[in-house]
Structure formats: structure tokens, C-alpha cells
Amino acid sequence: MDRDGVINEDHGWVGTRERFHWTSNLFGALRRLTDLGYHIFIVTNQSGIARGFYTKTDLHDLMTWVVDEIRKHGGTIDDWRFCPFHPNASIEQYRKTSN
């Protein structure tokens, strides 16, 4: 599953709990998928890291909380992955085009 727009409302560059708002009916849907035996993975482009809006640590802290909250509501996230790169990044180490 994509994160922004699926798991949470897409406000652009959501890297902290303060900006994170769950989408409607998410917990019930993830609980149902979990009960049906599906493996659930989250993938997300996070160019906010490349732009300097938040750090990898901020994202990891947020996603730890996200996974914990989903589990509290009966769902499971088997894994999550992210891409921090952007071709016009303000932080040089993240300036690249990624496939």
C-alpha cells in the first residue's frame, strides 16, 4: 500500500505525528485484510527528507508509531519501505533520480 493518500491524508511531506491524519475506515480495512491472511506492506516516497523538511529519524519514529497504532486496532503491517531521494534535493546526499 502507498502511505500518503491511503494510510493517511496526503497533506504533502508528512513526516511528524502532528501532520499525520488517518484516512477514514483505515483500521477496519486493515484488520479485515489481516484477518483474511494478507501480508500488508507500506511503500512511500519521502522527498521531504531530501528537501530538509524532516529527517530519516523523524520518519522512522513516525512509522514506528503508525505500525503500533495499526496493531492496537487489530491490523498488521509486515514491513514498510521508503525512498528519500529527489533529483532537486536541497540535501546533497539525497539528490538523485531513483527508480
Side-chain angles (χ1 to χ4, degrees):
M1 311 184 116
D2 188 21
R3 193 194 75 172
D4 298 320
V6 176
I7 302 294
N8 62 285
E9 295 176 14
D10 189 355
H11 299 298
W13 307 297
V14 177
T16 62
R17 282 191 206 184
E18 295 76 29
R19 298 199 65 234
F20 193 96
H21 301 104
W22 301 100
T23 55
S24 301
N25 303 313
L26 173 78
F27 294 122
L30 292 179
R31 183 175 51 250
R32 181 165 166 80
L33 290 170
T34 297
D35 290 346
L36 290 171
Y38 285 94
H39 294 282
I40 304 169
F41 301 90
I42 298 173
V43 294
T44 181
N45 292 322
Q46 292 297 313
S47 68
I49 294 169
R51 298 167 194 264
F53 297 151
Y54 47 91
T55 67
K56 280 185 175 181
T57 299
D58 293 332
L59 179 64
H60 281 275
D61 290 346
L62 173 62
M63 290 305 297
T64 296
W65 174 77
V66 165
V67 170
D68 288 346
E69 288 297 308
I70 289 168
R71 287 184 178 144
K72 285 180 190 176
H73 288 88
T76 298
I77 301 298
D78 292 287
D79 198 5
W80 68 276
R81 304 291 171 103
F82 71 101
C83 177
F85 303 112
H86 190 275
N88 300 318
S90 56
I91 299 175
E92 187 174 347
Q93 75 186 64
Y94 301 119
R95 190 177 307 136
K96 76 177 212 174
T97 301
S98 175
N99 50 348

